[in-house]
Amino acid sequence: MADYEERRSLLGEEDEGSFAGRQPPRGAGKQMPAICDPSHLLHRVVVLVFMCFLGFGSYFCYDNPAALQTQVLQDLNLNTAKFMQLYAWYSWPNVVLCFFGGFLLDRVFGIRLGTIIFSLFVCVGQVIFATGALLNRFWLMEVGRFVFGIGGESLAVAQNTYAVNWFKGKELNLVFGLQLSMARLGSTVNMNIMGWVYSQVALMVGSTGYTALGGSLMIAGVTCLFSLICALVLGFLDKRAERILNKEQGNTGEVIKLTDVKDFPFTLWLIFIICVGYYVAIFPFIGLGQVFFIEKFNFSPAEARAVNSIVYIISAPASPILGFMVDKTGRNVVWVIVAVVATLAAHMMLAFTFWNPWIAMSLLGVSYSLLACALWPMVAFVVPEHQLGTAYGFMQSIQNLGLALIAIAAGSILDNRGYLVLEVFFCACICIALMAVVMLYFVDYLKGGDLNRSAAARAKLQKESTSDAEIKRRPSKPTEGELARLAPMSAFGLRNRYLSRLGAQLPDHCSTHLSSLAYRSVLK
Amino acid sequence: MAAAALDKRSGGVCVFLLSFVLILCQTLVHGAEPYKRQLSVQLYPNYNSTPPGGDLLHVRAVGDNDTLHFLFCSQGAPTLLIVHTNTSSSTMKVWPQVNWPEFWARNTSGSLTVEPQSSVLYSSAIVLSRVRNASSRPLLEYDDVNDTAEPTSGFFPPYELKDFHWLPLSLRSPTALLCGADPAFGNGSLCLELSVFDSEGRVQTLPRLLHSANSSQLDVWLDGILPRSSNSRFLLELQSVGGAYPLSRVDIRQSIDDEFTPSIFKVSQWVSSVNGSSDVLGFVQWKPVAYRHTQPVLEDATPCRHSDPQAQSGEAAAASSGLIRAFYSNPEVMGLNMSFGLAGEPFYNSSRFLSWTVLVGVGSPPVDSFSPMVITIMAVGLGTPMVLLLLGGVCVCLHKKRAATAATYEPIN
């Protein structure tokens, strides 16, 4: 409230200034129109639109290879292992960048310049990628994906930082949700439209082949250009708001200290194993899904793309709902077990039956969302807040490492051994995650059950520690997640909370702030 | 502490479980002694004489209480004849042996018989009669729902395999290679490779069909043929010839197992059965895939389709193939067309190579089963979390008990 008052008064002053210094749009009236007033909701809505579309391009283009899998394989005469390199090259830079994205944004570029630079990377990366296809030079395409990867993940961090900066204390939760839905929308639209784009380009060019492929990837690149424009507009609006409201430039607030790694508890390592084991069975699978559905279930290419995108479609509405549910019930470990078992069941259905894949993929979509909601917030329970940035950065980093390696492995398994063995391999990865989560359950139980406490028990504990805190003014052991949560929240902590609300997905990249959370792969 | 102990124990259990499952799988897979046949190969006429009209290869596969005779002949259209007899001593006779001219003349039936005649359980032959070359519609027509296996337009006159110039059969143990060409082929050729097996197994090149001791494998490839149009596709016309029960229907079996032929989830089998009963006497089995390179890998795969088998004239088949004429007096013939490549697939021109593999045999066609690797991974993957769950449960119980016992002694004050 006080904050708001202060801003009002600042706004008042600035208003005068702006009236004198710059021309308000109509030149008359003391008050700016609501849409131009940075403190007004309407203006923030406009900003929100740009914010949402900021990430649209990179989400759209990330899954271009999956959407055009048959065409890429045929036009460039690739085998699947090479095809999956396109995904691996996206992940490689992020093995390192997860630790530095936030630092670059905070200390080196600043949020505005940083966002523009990362958008440029995304744009240039996609253009290189498309040029590689146009010239039928596969190595150039790999370079393109690498450059694209440098920009993509960090752009997600920037997007989240902008969100926190503009909406902190207001509609932040909703904004994260909207950004997430927008990301899913980008992926879904890509999956379902690129085949059509390709056939139109092929008609125009006169034949299929790498020229048509390059052309359609160039067209996909328009979305990146669009996102770049959004970044420029956002930069301008943010600068303007800074001048008018006299506020500070947004900060990711993330602190990464690699030496923290040695202090990570055993449970956190188990969480890492779950994270890697689980996600490597999701994203590489989606990358390879289209041809799988065509070959095994005789789907038409359009239908195959649709069923492949159902995971994203489901997770858009399911993430907030499941996140709410997990928040209300607690017992995160049990939810993770449920999600992992459901995913295992879905993969086994795809591997060993001819049942309609809509069933398995829908189950996969729900369990994927559930896992995200239950798994990522657990990190906040097992490490103290000051190590959270490092923990999330580390988690994303090894996740990217896992994704890059498994993508290549999955491609060559498919080439040599076929889809059954590939699915069995994915099942094995999920089984590793399952072993880790079962161990996590018992370890946590023997340790006293922080992670698997019900929401009611957590609330009770929180109450007790609150009264404690009132006496002591400061909660005692920072290692206790519950207590740590009681401390006044930093922007980082706040975001973390939102993350936990929204589920992993957010942390992944939305929370980003959670710093490293910016991980796009989770959102994909 | 507790966690570490849990860890160590579960590691031991993993190893134990793994070795247990491995042994189990091995006994399951290799437990039964594989069925073996003794193979003997004979090429007629003798190696040193030039064949007047084509070679005849005879492979005798003697089992415990039956014999399979595989006859492969390039007299006219290439033909593979399988005769199944119920004795392990039956002999195939080119009869009368002296009268080769009659066999080569190809106008009398009965110049080739199996003695004793009553021992014949089943016989069936496959004739490759024609190769057709079709110019396909433009590539861009993606959504042509009626894109049937048999293109309806753009056919060039067929190449008749009976008129080909066949090179002498070359025996490359354990296979026999037969190549031939039409003058219009340029430098290209059509080759057939016959492999006969003494026991169950797989050939290591794609499509890695599972074969039994009761089957032989025929690889067909079109190498370097000068196509008559740039949008060329090929069709192969197959005829099956039988006495009483020719191969009548094509069953398509779906299989979840594509481990040996990646991305192919179907097996087509052209079977003969007695009056539609489920007992299968003989079969031709293939996977609906052809490959565009000599050393095939997954991305060289091109789909193929077959038409429905249709009855054809027995006389025409006998006229085109010397072996059919010599063995069958009254052949029943069914024919079908295999077409390679669908709309949207690269044309023959792109690689100038196409290979396709079929299995021809008697009895029921072999069925793929999961490999030990798949079973092992799944067993270990699913078993270990279960074991962990059990162990963890026990640990927790013990822990609780200990806590409870400790509690009974503790509250002194």
Side-chain angles (χ1 to χ4, degrees):
Chain A
M1 270 294 111
D3 185 40
Y4 182 68
E5 229 85 272
E6 190 177 277
R7 279 201 195 164
R8 280 310 304 182
S9 66
L10 282 172
L11 176 65
E13 286 169 28
E14 274 296 323
D15 232 353
E16 302 294 329
S18 75
F19 185 63
R22 65 196 51 254
Q23 299 292 56
R26 299 217 186 107
K30 287 210 145 208
Q31 211 58 11
M32 272 189 282
I35 198 155
C36 302
D37 179 352
S39 64
H40 200 280
L41 176 67
L42 195 58
H43 183 74
R44 286 208 305 275
V45 169
V46 173
V47 172
L48 177 61
V49 171
F50 286 110
M51 232 178 254
C52 287
F53 280 102
L54 179 62
F56 186 84
S58 74
Y59 287 108
F60 187 92
C61 294
Y62 172 79
D63 262 333
N64 274 175
L68 292 175
Q69 193 190 352
T70 41
Q71 289 88 342
V72 173
L73 288 174
Q74 204 170 82
D75 295 346
L76 303 173
N77 208 4
L78 299 179
N79 60 23
T80 320
K82 275 187 151 180
F83 170 80
M84 288 307 279
Q85 288 279 7
L86 295 177
Y87 280 99
W89 277 108
Y90 176 89
S91 291
W92 289 125
N94 295 303
V95 175
V96 175
L97 268 180
C98 288
F99 294 111
F100 297 115
F103 173 78
L104 289 176
L105 278 177
D106 287 353
R107 304 286 166 78
V108 184
F109 301 131
I111 172 79
R112 289 187 286 266
L113 186 60
T115 308
I116 293 167
I117 290 175
F118 290 137
S119 298
L120 264 176
F121 266 106
V122 167
C123 250
V124 172
Q126 177 70 15
V127 169
I128 297 176
F129 180 55
T131 312
L134 269 178
L135 302 176
N136 195 13
R137 295 283 184 279
F138 187 68
W139 63 268
L140 195 59
M141 296 179 77
E142 289 176 331
V143 171
R145 287 295 280 187
F146 184 81
V147 175
F148 183 79
I150 293 175
E153 213 93 331
S154 310
L155 188 61
V157 182
Q159 194 184 13
N160 293 321
T161 311
Y162 261 132
V164 173
N165 192 21
W166 278 84
F167 293 94
K168 186 163 70 186
K170 292 167 185 131
E171 306 87 3
L172 188 57
N173 218 347
L174 178 71
V175 169
F176 275 145
L178 274 175
Q179 285 188 350
L180 187 65
S181 303
M182 220 40 212
R184 299 271 182 270
L185 187 71
S187 307
T188 311
V189 171
N190 161 63
M191 285 281 191
N192 290 294
I193 208 175
M194 281 314 288
W196 177 81
V197 170
Y198 179 88
S199 61
Q200 293 303 307
V201 174
L203 273 179
M204 237 154 51
V205 178
S207 72
T208 56
Y210 53 82
T211 320
L213 181 68
S216 17
L217 291 177
M218 278 292 180
I219 291 176
V222 171
T223 57
C224 294
L225 200 64
F226 178 59
S227 291
L228 177 62
I229 294 170
C230 287
L232 292 168
V233 172
L234 264 183
F236 168 76
L237 290 177
D238 196 57
K239 183 107 186 169
R240 177 169 172 272
E242 183 182 75
R243 206 181 36 244
I244 297 176
L245 299 181
N246 206 13
K247 66 176 186 179
E248 274 181 28
Q249 188 161 216
N251 232 303
T252 64
E254 104 184 6
V255 183
I256 304 261
K257 254 178 73 188
L258 285 178
T259 46
D260 285 347
V261 172
K262 66 176 168 23
D263 301 325
F264 284 168
F266 180 63
T267 43
L268 185 61
W269 290 105
L270 285 177
I271 291 175
F272 289 168
I273 296 174
I274 299 168
C275 173
V276 175
Y278 187 88
Y279 284 107
V280 296
I282 301 290
F283 296 123
F285 172 71
I286 290 175
L288 291 170
Q290 191 197 343
V291 174
F292 175 63
F293 296 120
I294 295 175
E295 303 273 358
K296 179 162 180 181
F297 299 97
N298 293 326
F299 276 28
S300 70
E303 212 181 351
R305 278 182 220 115
V307 72
N308 210 14
S309 65
I310 189 76
V311 173
Y312 298 145
I313 298 176
I314 286 183
S315 83
S319 296
I321 297 171
L322 293 173
F324 178 78
M325 190 182 77
V326 173
D327 256 12
K328 284 292 154 205
T329 56
R331 302 209 179 281
N332 289 41
V333 182
V334 173
W335 286 119
V336 172
I337 293 180
V338 170
V340 172
V341 169
T343 308
L344 183 60
H347 266 301
M348 287 179 68
M349 265 185 231
L350 290 170
F352 298 113
T353 69
F354 278 105
W355 296 351
N356 196 324
W358 286 100
I359 304 169
M361 290 304 276
S362 304
L363 182 61
L364 199 65
V366 174
S367 54
Y368 160 78
S369 314
L370 178 61
L371 181 110
C373 297
L375 179 72
W376 290 84
M378 281 204 299
V379 176
F381 295 137
V382 298
V383 291
E385 193 174 323
H386 68 94
Q387 290 181 348
L388 216 45
T390 317
Y392 276 121
F394 201 77
M395 192 161 168
Q396 286 187 299
S397 172
I398 56 172
Q399 189 187 2
N400 270 303
L401 185 66
L403 281 174
L405 294 175
I406 298 295
I408 299 171
S412 50
I413 288 177
L414 175 56
D415 279 338
N416 295 306
R417 289 281 163 191
Y419 284 104
L420 178 75
V421 177
L422 180 68
E423 276 295 325
V424 166
F425 172 71
F426 285 144
C427 286
C429 292
I430 301 263
C431 284
I432 290 172
L434 186 60
M435 289 170 211
V437 71
V438 167
M439 276 172 73
L440 180 65
Y441 179 88
F442 289 116
V443 170
D444 178 61
Y445 183 90
L446 294 176
K447 273 189 167 180
D450 261 357
L451 292 178
N452 205 25
R453 204 161 277 151
S454 72
R458 269 181 201 155
K460 205 173 143 203
L461 195 73
Q462 193 159 2
K463 217 178 218 168
E464 280 165 15
S465 45
T466 313
S467 44
D468 243 23
E470 268 162 16
I471 302 163
K472 288 195 198 163
R473 202 68 216 118
R474 187 101 214 132
S476 50
K477 286 189 289 174
T479 32
E480 299 246 3
E482 297 298 334
L483 295 181
R485 289 178 83 189
L486 293 176
M489 286 216 170
S490 65
F492 179 72
L494 192 67
R495 259 168 290 186
N496 195 11
R497 264 208 94 172
Y498 282 117
L499 275 184
S500 62
R501 279 273 152 70
L502 285 174
Q505 318 241 352
L506 280 183
D508 214 349
H509 86 163
C510 273
S511 75
T512 208
H513 210 16
L514 283 199
S515 91
S516 326
L517 293 191
Y519 185 30
R520 140 198 314 310
S521 286
V522 175
L523 278 181
K524 208 173 179 193
Chain B
M1 331 115 289
L6 195 80
D7 234 345
K8 222 177 262 172
R9 224 174 306 170
S10 65
V13 169
C14 277
V15 172
F16 167 74
L17 198 80
L18 190 80
S19 43
F20 171 74
V21 171
L22 271 175
I23 293 163
L24 190 78
C25 290
Q26 254 166 3
T27 34
L28 274 178
V29 175
H30 303 292
E33 192 56 23
Y35 186 69
K36 274 212 138 191
R37 286 178 183 275
Q38 293 290 329
L39 298 185
S40 57
V41 180
Q42 175 123 45
L43 187 63
Y44 299 97
N46 296 327
Y47 295 93
N48 45 16
S49 65
T50 30
D55 290 304
L56 176 66
L57 177 78
H58 175 213
V59 181
R60 206 155 67 116
V62 182
D64 295 340
N65 44 21
D66 63 345
T67 305
L68 282 171
H69 298 276
F70 295 92
L71 291 144
F72 188 48
C73 179
S74 58
Q75 270 274 317
T79 305
L80 173 66
L81 170 69
I82 303 181
V83 184
H84 188 202
T85 62
N86 63 3
T87 60
S88 49
S89 61
S90 70
T91 52
M92 193 276 302
K93 292 214 165 127
V94 179
W95 191 259
Q97 198 122 32
V98 284
N99 202 357
W100 277 99
E102 199 171 285
F103 180 75
W104 302 134
R106 289 159 57 182
N107 49 20
T108 341
S109 72
S111 61
L112 187 148
T113 52
V114 170
E115 295 291 326
Q117 286 263 16
S118 59
S119 67
V120 175
L121 294 172
Y122 172 78
S123 73
S124 160
I126 290 295
V127 184
L128 276 79
S129 51
R130 276 181 193 146
V131 171
R132 279 168 173 260
N133 185 199
S135 163
S136 195
R137 55 199 94 218
L139 193 56
L140 280 179
E141 288 180 23
Y142 272 115
D143 46 5
D144 179 19
V145 230
N146 295 326
D147 187 15
T148 50
E150 215 169 342
T152 47
S153 63
F155 269 121
F156 296 104
Y159 302 104
E160 296 284 349
L161 268 66
K162 68 178 159 63
D163 302 330
F164 272 33
H165 171 68
W166 295 103
L167 298 173
L169 254 174
S170 74
L171 275 182
R172 302 189 292 187
S173 178
T175 62
L177 178 70
L178 176 67
C179 284
D182 186 274
F185 275 10
N187 282 333
S189 60
L190 180 147
C191 292
L192 293 114
E193 190 173 47
L194 173 75
S195 321
V196 180
F197 311 102
D198 59 354
S199 62
E200 195 178 82
R202 275 175 212 282
V203 173
Q204 275 317 300
T205 46
L206 285 172
R208 300 187 196 125
L209 295 178
L210 176 70
H211 58 73
S212 63
N214 293 338
S215 56
S216 60
Q217 181 173 310
L218 203 56
D219 297 278
V220 185
W221 65 87
L222 295 160
D223 189 5
I225 293 172
L226 205 63
R228 286 184 275 201
S229 105
S230 58
N231 291 356
S232 254
R233 294 200 193 287
F234 281 95
L235 275 92
L236 190 62
E237 195 178 293
L238 285 178
Q239 292 177 328
S240 98
V241 185
Y245 306 107
L247 305 180
S248 51
R249 59 166 208 271
V250 179
D251 296 334
I252 298 178
R253 210 163 43 78
Q254 281 208 315
S255 154
I256 57 170
D257 193 353
D258 71 331
E259 179 176 352
F260 297 99
T261 319
S263 90
I264 304 301
F265 292 91
K266 279 183 191 141
V267 184
S268 302
Q269 32 207 38
W270 191 9
V271 294
S272 80
S273 57
V274 185
N275 300 330
S277 79
S278 59
D279 282 349
V280 173
L281 299 170
F283 67 89
V284 173
Q285 187 191 53
W286 68 87
K287 292 200 171 177
V289 62
Y291 293 92
R292 292 194 303 262
H293 286 101
T294 31
Q295 298 294 323
V297 285
L298 175 62
E299 64 267 24
D300 300 331
T302 191
C304 44
R305 285 198 227 178
H306 60 84
S307 63
D308 282 331
Q310 281 169 346
Q312 291 183 348
S313 144
E315 184 41 43
S320 72
S321 159
L323 197 55
I324 300 297
R325 168 73 81 209
F327 187 78
Y328 289 104
S329 52
N330 220 346
E332 293 267 343
V333 181
M334 302 288 281
L336 62 69
N337 288 340
M338 287 300 309
S339 59
F340 303 106
L342 304 179
E345 291 288 321
F347 293 106
Y348 179 76
N349 256 2
S350 68
S351 62
R352 294 271 184 96
F353 187 87
L354 201 61
S355 81
W356 181 61
T357 303
V358 282
L359 217 57
V360 185
V362 298
S364 298
V367 179
D368 266 329
S369 56
F370 292 136
S371 68
M373 180 182 68
V374 168
I375 299 170
T376 313
I377 294 177
M378 287 314 291
V380 174
L382 295 177
T384 319
M386 294 295 154
V387 172
L388 275 181
L389 211 57
L390 274 175
L391 276 179
V394 171
C395 273
V396 165
C397 279
L398 287 178
H399 184 79
K400 259 190 182 163
K401 221 172 210 174
R402 213 182 309 148
T405 4
T408 47
Y409 288 101
E410 241 174 65
I412 282 177
N413 42 350

